Amino acid sequence: MEGFVAITYFYQSTFAVALGKTLLIFSYHENNELAKTMAIGDKDLENFNNIVVFAPSPSAEHFDNVVFNWKQSYPINYVLHKDCADRSPKNPNIRFVKHGDIFSIADVFVRVFDAAGQGLCFLVNSHSTSIFHAGDLNLWHWRDERQALEIAKTEKAYYEAVEKIPKEPLDLCMFPLDPNQGSLFEAGANHIMMSLKPKLFLPMHFGFNFDAVREYSRRMKFPSTIIYPMQPNRETIQVNFANLPLNIHKIQSEENLRRAYSLGAYINENPFSDTDLPVDLG
């Protein structure tokens, strides 16, 4: 179904986005005990005919070579920051990328951008849906700890990086919102929403500060964007980007959470028919 997407949030910056038989996995790792409890297994991948794994940085929060342990008979391709090369096998389904790269993997069109010196970010189009995963792109000002000149330098690098991202219709934006920064921790998120105007903004990289992120989502309003904080525990939502007002349907049970990856259980029915989350973008 065009515009119909299932999105699962794991922890920090890790998401899986299912569009029909295509699965996009961003910043996957099992580098701490919490992440291991939410691990993706072969069964999660078995119903897809195109799986693309993205690593915007070689850091432990964005890359783990455990992704090479998934069944290699599955149609998996890897899009990895070039600095992941020394920790990766030399397989033809692995592509090492840098800022400015543009390419397609079957039905997935990928553009790669610099994340203000913090790795890479990805603008992806598939199944008539546009998706932006920011990686570590953010306005990391840490203004409660830094001097004014250092803050100004950080701001300049961030604004210049965002300026290079095309300002075209965007359905989904996954972007850091880290209360650990202290004052004005939301500055980068506010700017990206005003610049890119995504239909749906999903905060990430907030650790255990879910309450602060939820409060931010309640008080901040943008005319073109819905802010939806997802619980970092493999919570899954379904969204139909083809229709406005935007509808968000939360998957409740563990059984449905597992089934949501393939979307097969919902092809012949309307998952939004009894949702309590209609959203008017007005």
Side-chain angles (χ1 to χ4, degrees), residues 70-155:
W70 296 333
K71 191 181 294 185
Q72 290 301 295
S73 60
Y74 289 159
I76 305 176
N77 284 277
Y78 302 88
V79 177
L80 312 179
H81 189 288
K82 61 182 179 61
D83 291 344
C84 298
D86 61 351
R87 294 163 50 203
S88 305
K90 309 304 181 187
N91 295 340
N93 61 337
I94 302 175
R95 182 188 295 260
F96 300 106
V97 299
K98 62 185 183 308
H99 168 70
D101 286 353
I102 301 174
F103 53 90
S104 293
I105 300 174
D107 56 5
V108 177
F109 177 59
V110 181
R111 285 170 284 179
V112 184
F113 298 92
D114 177 63
Q118 302 293 321
L120 301 171
C121 44
F122 301 106
L123 184 59
V124 181
N125 292 79
S126 184
H127 292 255
S128 301
T129 303
S130 54
I131 298 163
F132 180 72
H133 188 281
D136 277 331
L137 177 66
N138 193 10
L139 181 47
W140 298 109
H141 52 71
W142 299 98
R143 64 182 59 249
D144 296 336
E145 305 171 17
R146 290 179 170 177
Q147 299 296 316
L149 286 178
E150 191 176 6
I151 294 170
K153 182 179 178 181
T154 300
E155 289 176 338

XYZ file of all heavy atoms in Angstrom, residues 70-155:
704
model
N 23.706 -12.154 10.341
C 22.381 -12.523 9.851
C 22.524 -13.406 8.630
O 23.514 -13.321 7.886
C 21.569 -11.272 9.522
C 21.279 -10.424 10.723
C 21.179 -10.849 12.021
C 21.082 -9.009 10.757
N 20.924 -9.777 12.856
C 20.855 -8.634 12.106
C 21.058 -8.013 9.766
C 20.609 -7.327 12.486
C 20.814 -6.703 10.150
C 20.589 -6.368 11.495
N 21.540 -14.256 8.395
C 21.602 -15.245 7.324
C 21.917 -14.578 5.985
O 21.135 -13.771 5.483
C 20.289 -16.015 7.255
C 20.331 -17.239 6.354
C 18.968 -17.935 6.325
C 18.617 -18.516 7.683
N 17.344 -19.289 7.603
N 23.030 -14.911 5.413
C 23.476 -14.223 4.209
C 22.762 -14.682 2.946
O 22.974 -14.120 1.871
C 24.986 -14.374 4.060
C 25.772 -13.597 5.103
C 25.493 -12.097 5.069
O 25.803 -11.428 4.093
N 24.902 -11.561 6.137
N 21.912 -15.686 3.073
C 21.058 -16.047 1.934
C 19.903 -15.061 1.782
O 19.249 -15.036 0.732
C 20.518 -17.463 2.100
O 19.742 -17.572 3.295
N 19.669 -14.252 2.805
C 18.649 -13.210 2.692
C 19.173 -12.082 1.801
O 20.382 -11.868 1.705
C 18.298 -12.653 4.074
C 17.511 -13.593 4.966
C 17.512 -13.413 6.343
C 16.782 -14.644 4.454
C 16.791 -14.252 7.186
C 16.069 -15.486 5.285
C 16.083 -15.290 6.644
O 15.360 -16.130 7.469
N 18.271 -11.325 1.186
C 18.686 -10.242 0.277
C 19.112 -8.989 1.039
O 18.438 -7.961 1.027
C 17.440 -10.005 -0.566
C 16.312 -10.348 0.357
C 16.804 -11.504 1.192
N 20.263 -9.071 1.704
C 20.745 -7.984 2.554
C 21.854 -7.219 1.839
O 22.791 -7.813 1.297
C 21.279 -8.511 3.897
C 20.228 -9.356 4.618
C 21.726 -7.354 4.788
C 20.726 -9.993 5.904
N 21.748 -5.897 1.847
C 22.821 -5.021 1.401
C 23.187 -4.077 2.537
O 22.330 -3.726 3.362
C 22.394 -4.216 0.174
C 22.388 -5.052 -1.088
O 23.410 -5.236 -1.726
N 21.220 -5.584 -1.447
N 24.443 -3.676 2.579
C 24.949 -2.835 3.655
C 25.460 -1.514 3.079
O 26.224 -1.505 2.111
C 26.080 -3.543 4.396
C 25.679 -4.873 4.983
C 25.774 -6.047 4.239
C 25.190 -4.960 6.288
C 25.403 -7.272 4.772
C 24.819 -6.181 6.831
C 24.924 -7.327 6.075
O 24.550 -8.531 6.609
N 25.024 -0.420 3.692
C 25.477 0.919 3.323
C 26.186 1.482 4.555
O 25.535 1.907 5.523
C 24.301 1.810 2.892
C 24.786 3.221 2.580
C 23.589 1.204 1.684
N 27.495 1.482 4.532
C 28.286 1.763 5.726
C 29.221 2.949 5.501
O 29.785 3.117 4.415
C 29.135 0.543 6.099
C 28.435 -0.821 6.146
C 29.447 -1.903 6.512
C 27.268 -0.804 7.125
N 29.365 3.742 6.560
C 30.385 4.793 6.555
C 31.722 4.186 6.124
O 32.072 3.062 6.521
C 30.478 5.396 7.948
C 31.332 6.614 8.051
N 32.710 6.559 7.957
C 31.022 7.926 8.239
C 33.210 7.773 8.096
N 32.211 8.628 8.261
N 32.469 4.917 5.333
C 33.720 4.390 4.777
C 34.697 3.938 5.853
O 35.531 3.031 5.616
C 34.376 5.418 3.868
C 34.770 6.730 4.542
C 35.370 7.711 3.552
C 35.746 9.034 4.215
N 36.758 8.870 5.268
N 34.621 4.516 7.057
C 35.549 4.142 8.115
C 35.174 2.829 8.807
O 35.878 2.383 9.721
C 35.645 5.258 9.149
C 36.346 6.490 8.604
O 37.010 6.388 7.547
O 36.214 7.576 9.210
N 34.080 2.197 8.350
C 33.723 0.866 8.841
C 34.468 -0.228 8.081
O 34.365 -1.414 8.430
C 32.214 0.619 8.699
S 31.152 1.724 9.650
N 35.209 0.146 7.041
C 35.799 -0.841 6.139
C 36.751 -1.803 6.841
O 36.783 -2.998 6.527
C 36.519 -0.123 4.991
N 37.527 -1.301 7.803
C 38.522 -2.167 8.434
C 37.899 -3.157 9.413
O 38.597 -4.040 9.921
C 39.594 -1.332 9.136
C 39.034 -0.442 10.238
O 37.797 -0.347 10.347
O 39.837 0.168 10.969
N 36.585 -3.054 9.660
C 35.892 -3.997 10.554
C 34.817 -4.771 9.812
O 33.935 -5.365 10.436
C 35.271 -3.227 11.722
C 36.311 -2.591 12.642
C 35.708 -1.522 13.521
N 34.524 -1.968 14.193
C 33.573 -1.148 14.665
N 33.692 0.156 14.498
N 32.519 -1.621 15.279
N 34.906 -4.786 8.481
C 33.875 -5.413 7.670
C 34.488 -6.390 6.686
O 35.632 -6.203 6.245
C 33.096 -4.347 6.884
O 32.559 -3.362 7.742
N 33.742 -7.435 6.321
C 34.243 -8.343 5.279
C 34.251 -7.660 3.916
O 33.621 -6.613 3.734
C 33.243 -9.502 5.320
C 32.001 -8.925 5.918
C 32.446 -7.854 6.866
N 34.943 -8.225 2.970
C 35.036 -7.667 1.618
C 34.019 -8.371 0.722
O 34.359 -9.151 -0.169
C 36.454 -7.837 1.061
C 37.552 -7.342 1.987
C 37.358 -5.873 2.389
C 38.490 -5.407 3.304
N 38.252 -4.045 3.838
N 32.754 -8.103 0.969
C 31.681 -8.751 0.225
C 31.068 -7.787 -0.779
O 31.020 -6.576 -0.536
C 30.597 -9.252 1.177
C 31.102 -10.348 2.100
O 32.114 -10.989 1.818
N 30.400 -10.571 3.198
N 30.550 -8.294 -1.890
C 29.983 -7.407 -2.919
C 28.699 -6.705 -2.505
O 28.302 -5.739 -3.148
C 29.738 -8.355 -4.103
C 29.669 -9.718 -3.500
C 30.594 -9.701 -2.329
N 28.052 -7.188 -1.440
C 26.814 -6.545 -0.984
C 27.071 -5.464 0.067
O 26.136 -4.975 0.711
C 25.843 -7.575 -0.422
C 26.392 -8.326 0.791
O 27.604 -8.421 0.983
N 25.487 -8.857 1.609
N 28.340 -5.083 0.241
C 28.702 -4.036 1.196
C 29.223 -2.829 0.423
O 30.153 -2.943 -0.381
C 29.764 -4.519 2.196
C 29.251 -5.741 2.961
C 30.139 -3.400 3.159
C 30.270 -6.360 3.890
N 28.627 -1.683 0.676
C 29.032 -0.446 0.023
C 29.514 0.529 1.100
O 28.780 0.817 2.056
C 27.850 0.158 -0.742
C 28.184 1.439 -1.515
C 26.921 2.073 -2.064
N 26.267 1.257 -3.053
C 26.351 1.432 -4.369
N 27.070 2.432 -4.840
N 25.717 0.636 -5.200
N 30.728 1.034 0.944
C 31.277 2.013 1.874
C 31.079 3.398 1.260
O 31.463 3.627 0.108
C 32.747 1.722 2.151
C 32.961 0.364 2.755
C 33.490 -0.677 1.993
C 32.604 0.109 4.070
C 33.660 -1.933 2.538
C 32.775 -1.144 4.633
C 33.306 -2.173 3.863
N 30.493 4.307 2.032
C 30.022 5.565 1.446
C 30.613 6.773 2.150
O 31.113 6.690 3.282
C 28.475 5.635 1.473
C 27.877 4.501 0.648
C 27.935 5.595 2.908
N 30.482 7.897 1.458
C 30.948 9.191 1.968
C 29.959 10.260 1.536
O 29.036 10.003 0.741
C 32.340 9.493 1.419
C 32.392 9.622 -0.088
C 33.799 9.790 -0.584
C 33.856 9.994 -2.090
N 33.135 8.980 -2.870
N 30.149 11.455 2.051
C 29.301 12.587 1.679
C 29.258 12.769 0.163
O 30.279 12.706 -0.515
C 29.825 13.867 2.325
C 29.192 15.119 1.787
N 27.882 15.451 2.033
C 29.694 16.106 0.997
C 27.598 16.594 1.418
N 28.681 17.001 0.784
N 28.046 12.965 -0.358
C 27.865 13.212 -1.779
C 27.525 11.991 -2.599
O 27.141 12.121 -3.771
N 27.635 10.796 -2.028
C 27.313 9.587 -2.784
C 25.814 9.511 -3.061
O 24.987 9.840 -2.192
C 27.758 8.342 -2.020
C 29.260 8.139 -2.051
O 29.939 8.887 -2.783
O 29.753 7.241 -1.342
N 25.470 9.044 -4.246
C 24.077 8.869 -4.670
C 24.001 7.540 -5.417
O 24.787 7.297 -6.341
C 23.605 10.012 -5.591
C 23.717 11.362 -4.876
C 22.175 9.774 -6.065
C 23.391 12.553 -5.778
N 23.055 6.686 -5.048
C 22.958 5.376 -5.689
C 21.600 4.749 -5.347
O 20.856 5.252 -4.492
C 24.090 4.457 -5.207
C 24.197 4.344 -3.710
C 23.516 3.367 -3.006
C 24.972 5.249 -3.000
C 23.603 3.269 -1.630
C 25.074 5.169 -1.614
C 24.381 4.173 -0.936
N 21.304 3.649 -6.021
C 20.077 2.891 -5.756
C 20.431 1.438 -5.460
O 21.384 0.878 -6.039
C 19.124 2.949 -6.950
O 18.622 4.248 -7.139
N 19.663 0.837 -4.566
C 19.734 -0.595 -4.296
C 18.324 -1.129 -4.497
O 17.448 -0.944 -3.633
C 20.244 -0.889 -2.875
C 21.652 -0.316 -2.680
C 20.236 -2.388 -2.606
C 22.178 -0.433 -1.259
N 18.078 -1.714 -5.670
C 16.725 -2.146 -6.045
C 15.782 -0.956 -5.925
O 15.989 0.065 -6.569
C 16.284 -3.334 -5.206
N 14.770 -1.040 -5.054
C 13.766 0.019 -4.962
C 14.101 1.085 -3.927
O 13.245 1.874 -3.537
C 12.387 -0.579 -4.653
C 12.377 -1.424 -3.381
O 13.409 -1.468 -2.683
O 11.349 -2.058 -3.101
N 15.358 1.123 -3.485
C 15.779 2.079 -2.452
C 16.788 3.055 -3.065
O 17.873 2.662 -3.511
C 16.410 1.354 -1.250
C 16.905 2.361 -0.214
C 15.408 0.387 -0.625
N 16.417 4.343 -3.101
C 17.272 5.405 -3.628
C 17.898 6.142 -2.458
O 17.192 6.604 -1.547
C 16.451 6.355 -4.491
C 17.224 7.526 -5.035
C 18.329 7.339 -5.842
C 16.839 8.831 -4.738
C 19.045 8.418 -6.352
C 17.536 9.917 -5.242
C 18.647 9.706 -6.052
N 19.225 6.257 -2.448
C 19.962 6.756 -1.287
C 20.813 7.956 -1.672
O 21.530 7.919 -2.683
C 20.868 5.656 -0.700
C 21.618 6.185 0.531
C 20.066 4.411 -0.349
N 20.739 9.006 -0.833
C 21.662 10.131 -0.930
C 22.354 10.300 0.426
O 21.697 10.204 1.464
C 20.910 11.404 -1.322
C 20.512 11.447 -2.796
C 19.582 12.587 -3.115
N 18.222 12.311 -2.647
C 17.207 13.159 -2.790
N 17.400 14.353 -3.332
N 16.006 12.821 -2.367
N 23.647 10.551 0.371
C 24.463 10.576 1.587
C 24.970 11.997 1.828
O 25.471 12.654 0.904
C 25.653 9.606 1.465
C 26.449 9.570 2.774
C 25.184 8.213 1.075
N 24.863 12.445 3.086
C 25.272 13.801 3.446
C 26.167 13.781 4.674
O 26.078 12.882 5.528
C 24.037 14.678 3.718
C 23.145 14.827 2.529
C 22.084 13.951 2.327
C 23.372 15.819 1.586
C 21.257 14.066 1.222
C 22.561 15.936 0.470
C 21.497 15.058 0.288
N 27.008 14.801 4.765
C 27.865 14.974 5.937
C 27.026 15.392 7.139
O 26.073 16.175 7.019
C 28.921 16.034 5.648
C 29.785 16.312 6.861
O 30.486 15.392 7.314
O 29.744 17.455 7.374
N 27.378 14.853 8.297
C 26.658 15.172 9.536
C 27.466 16.150 10.383
O 27.670 15.947 11.580
C 26.347 13.904 10.316
N 27.912 17.240 9.768
C 28.670 18.289 10.461
C 29.891 17.717 11.169
O 30.198 18.072 12.313
C 27.768 19.042 11.434
N 30.585 16.815 10.473
C 31.781 16.228 11.044
C 31.536 15.113 12.026
O 32.482 14.584 12.624
N 30.274 14.707 12.195
C 29.913 13.661 13.149
C 29.483 12.388 12.419
O 28.595 11.675 12.868
C 28.777 14.147 14.058
C 29.077 15.394 14.838
C 30.149 15.178 15.879
O 30.196 14.143 16.537
N 31.027 16.163 16.043
N 30.095 12.102 11.289
C 29.688 10.947 10.505
C 28.816 11.374 9.336
O 29.006 12.445 8.754
N 27.826 10.548 9.012
C 26.975 10.771 7.860
C 25.505 10.744 8.241
O 25.140 10.291 9.329
C 27.233 9.679 6.807
C 28.658 9.555 6.279
C 28.790 8.303 5.419
C 29.064 10.802 5.491
N 24.680 11.244 7.327
C 23.231 11.083 7.450
C 22.701 10.643 6.092
O 23.357 10.824 5.063
C 22.539 12.340 7.964
S 23.081 13.884 7.238
N 21.507 10.056 6.086
C 20.967 9.427 4.889
C 19.587 9.975 4.555
O 18.715 10.059 5.438
C 20.861 7.917 5.086
C 22.167 7.246 5.394
C 22.452 6.806 6.667
C 23.119 7.072 4.401
C 23.654 6.178 6.968
C 24.337 6.457 4.685
C 24.605 6.009 5.965
N 19.407 10.323 3.290
C 18.095 10.679 2.753
C 17.704 9.555 1.796
O 18.398 9.319 0.794
C 18.155 12.019 2.039
C 16.841 12.586 1.506
C 15.808 12.775 2.618
C 17.086 13.906 0.789
N 16.634 8.855 2.130
C 16.261 7.628 1.441
C 14.853 7.759 0.885
O 13.941 8.249 1.571
C 16.330 6.422 2.407
C 15.970 5.128 1.679
C 17.724 6.313 3.032
N 14.666 7.301 -0.339
C 13.335 7.254 -0.946
C 13.037 5.822 -1.362
O 13.855 5.181 -2.046
C 13.253 8.170 -2.175
C 13.339 9.635 -1.809
O 14.426 10.146 -1.555
N 12.218 10.306 -1.752
N 11.868 5.328 -0.955
C 11.451 3.978 -1.326
C 9.946 3.886 -1.207
O 9.354 4.440 -0.266
C 12.118 2.941 -0.413
O 11.796 1.630 -0.813
N 9.313 3.215 -2.141
C 7.870 3.020 -2.113
C 7.126 4.342 -1.937
O 6.196 4.447 -1.119
C 7.480 2.042 -1.000
C 7.946 0.633 -1.242
N 7.096 -0.370 -1.629
C 9.179 0.081 -1.170
C 7.778 -1.488 -1.769
N 9.053 -1.238 -1.502
N 7.563 5.349 -2.661
C 6.931 6.679 -2.632
C 6.969 7.318 -1.254
O 6.167 8.189 -0.938
C 5.472 6.593 -3.125
O 5.414 6.084 -4.445
N 7.928 6.900 -0.422
C 8.087 7.440 0.925
C 9.500 7.989 1.077
O 10.469 7.324 0.708
C 7.824 6.357 1.990
O 6.511 5.819 1.805
C 7.934 6.929 3.394
N 9.623 9.195 1.626
C 10.923 9.833 1.827
C 11.291 9.805 3.306
O 10.470 10.147 4.168
C 10.911 11.264 1.302
O 9.839 11.993 1.868
N 12.534 9.407 3.578
C 12.971 9.128 4.945
C 14.344 9.757 5.166
O 15.255 9.605 4.338
C 13.058 7.605 5.173
C 11.670 6.966 5.007
C 13.646 7.283 6.534
C 11.729 5.460 4.807
N 14.489 10.445 6.302
C 15.777 11.027 6.673
C 16.202 10.481 8.019
O 15.479 10.613 9.004
C 15.682 12.549 6.735
C 16.976 13.237 7.102
C 18.031 13.293 6.201
C 17.139 13.813 8.347
C 19.233 13.912 6.529
C 18.330 14.445 8.689
C 19.378 14.496 7.773
N 17.376 9.843 8.055
C 17.981 9.418 9.315
C 19.232 10.255 9.516
O 20.152 10.245 8.699
C 18.326 7.938 9.296
C 18.785 7.411 10.626
N 20.063 7.602 11.092
C 18.128 6.721 11.602
C 20.180 7.040 12.294
N 19.015 6.492 12.626
N 19.261 11.004 10.613
C 20.290 12.017 10.817
C 21.619 11.471 11.311
O 22.618 12.199 11.302
C 19.784 13.072 11.802
N 21.659 10.198 11.747
C 22.895 9.739 12.379
C 23.191 10.612 13.591
O 22.332 10.818 14.447
N 24.391 11.169 13.663
C 24.749 12.060 14.777
C 24.657 13.538 14.407
O 25.171 14.394 15.141
C 26.161 11.752 15.276
C 26.184 10.588 16.255
O 25.172 10.385 16.951
O 27.208 9.884 16.318
N 24.024 13.843 13.282
C 23.824 15.253 12.949
C 22.930 15.904 13.997
O 21.814 15.460 14.250
C 23.173 15.384 11.572
C 22.832 16.816 11.138
C 24.093 17.641 10.936
C 21.986 16.799 9.859
N 23.424 16.957 14.601
C 22.661 17.708 15.600
C 23.450 18.975 15.925
O 24.638 19.080 15.636
C 22.441 16.874 16.865
C 21.410 17.476 17.805
O 20.705 18.421 17.444
N 21.325 16.952 19.017
N 22.777 19.895 16.562
C 23.460 21.081 17.064
C 23.982 20.753 18.465
O 23.350 21.038 19.471
C 22.494 22.274 17.083
C 23.051 23.610 17.572
C 24.395 23.921 16.934
C 22.055 24.720 17.287
N 25.163 20.143 18.485
C 25.766 19.715 19.752
C 26.505 20.901 20.389
O 27.722 20.935 20.444
C 26.722 18.548 19.517
C 26.081 17.315 18.959
C 26.226 16.807 17.704
C 25.196 16.424 19.657
N 25.479 15.656 17.560
C 24.852 15.399 18.739
C 24.669 16.396 20.951
C 23.997 14.356 19.085
C 23.813 15.352 21.290
C 23.496 14.357 20.371
N 25.744 21.846 20.884
C 26.345 23.086 21.393
C 26.895 22.958 22.808
O 27.862 23.616 23.159
C 25.317 24.224 21.344
C 24.018 23.886 21.991
N 23.877 23.746 23.352
C 22.790 23.659 21.468
C 22.621 23.453 23.655
N 21.935 23.382 22.521
N 26.264 22.132 23.651
C 26.683 21.973 25.043
C 26.969 23.342 25.681
O 28.006 23.574 26.291
C 27.916 21.060 25.150
C 27.664 19.674 24.628
C 27.976 19.194 23.396
C 27.010 18.598 25.321
N 27.574 17.881 23.265
C 26.989 17.494 24.438
C 26.461 18.452 26.600
C 26.427 16.261 24.784
C 25.899 17.220 26.942
C 25.882 16.150 26.051
N 25.999 24.232 25.533
C 26.252 25.631 25.888
C 26.418 25.870 27.388
O 26.908 26.933 27.792
C 25.159 26.539 25.318
C 23.764 26.345 25.829
C 22.809 27.295 25.116
N 22.806 27.102 23.667
C 23.303 27.985 22.797
N 23.846 29.103 23.215
N 23.262 27.728 21.506
N 26.029 24.930 28.208
C 26.259 25.087 29.646
C 27.705 24.767 30.036
O 28.108 25.020 31.175
C 25.308 24.171 30.437
C 23.855 24.550 30.232
O 23.588 25.722 29.893
O 22.975 23.676 30.396
N 28.469 24.213 29.090
C 29.823 23.773 29.399
C 30.889 24.456 28.546
O 32.065 24.459 28.913
C 29.936 22.253 29.201
C 28.921 21.448 29.986
C 28.931 19.981 29.600
O 29.919 19.536 28.968
O 27.953 19.277 29.921
N 30.515 25.028 27.402
C 31.492 25.537 26.443
C 31.550 27.057 26.421
O 30.627 27.741 26.859
C 31.154 25.019 25.047
C 31.379 23.529 24.843
C 30.998 23.134 23.431
N 31.399 21.782 23.111
C 31.133 21.183 21.951
N 30.466 21.841 21.019
N 31.525 19.940 21.723
N 32.628 27.538 25.835
C 32.801 28.965 25.638
C 32.045 29.407 24.381
O 31.748 28.623 23.491
C 34.285 29.308 25.497
C 35.114 28.941 26.716
C 34.690 29.727 27.944
O 34.458 30.945 27.882
N 34.582 29.026 29.069
N 31.784 30.712 24.294
C 30.961 31.257 23.215
C 31.560 30.986 21.833
O 30.829 30.660 20.891
C 30.766 32.754 23.419
N 32.866 31.123 21.687
C 33.478 30.907 20.374
C 33.341 29.462 19.906
O 33.115 29.190 18.718
C 34.954 31.307 20.410
C 35.249 32.807 20.441
C 36.756 33.051 20.538
C 34.696 33.485 19.185
N 33.458 28.538 20.822
C 33.309 27.126 20.480
C 31.870 26.821 20.088
O 31.612 26.064 19.144
C 33.743 26.258 21.660
C 33.869 24.788 21.319
C 34.402 23.978 22.477
O 34.569 24.531 23.575
O 34.668 22.777 22.265
N 30.926 27.413 20.803
C 29.505 27.239 20.472
C 29.222 27.786 19.077
O 28.543 27.147 18.263
C 28.616 27.926 21.522
C 28.754 27.213 22.875
C 27.157 27.939 21.062
C 28.099 27.954 24.016
N 29.772 28.966 18.781
C 29.544 29.585 17.476
C 30.110 28.719 16.349
O 29.492 28.585 15.274
C 30.173 30.973 17.442
N 31.252 28.124 16.564
C 31.848 27.241 15.560
C 30.978 26.015 15.326
O 30.763 25.586 14.170
C 33.246 26.821 16.028
C 33.982 25.943 15.045
C 35.369 25.592 15.570
C 36.101 24.670 14.592
N 37.449 24.308 15.099
N 30.457 25.448 16.394
C 29.580 24.286 16.284
C 28.293 24.635 15.543
O 27.824 23.866 14.691
C 29.240 23.745 17.686
O 30.459 23.360 18.340
C 28.309 22.552 17.618
N 27.722 25.789 15.862
C 26.496 26.223 15.197
C 26.724 26.412 13.699
O 25.903 25.996 12.877
C 25.991 27.526 15.818
C 25.435 27.357 17.220
C 25.041 28.679 17.848
O 25.569 29.730 17.403
O 24.224 28.669 18.785
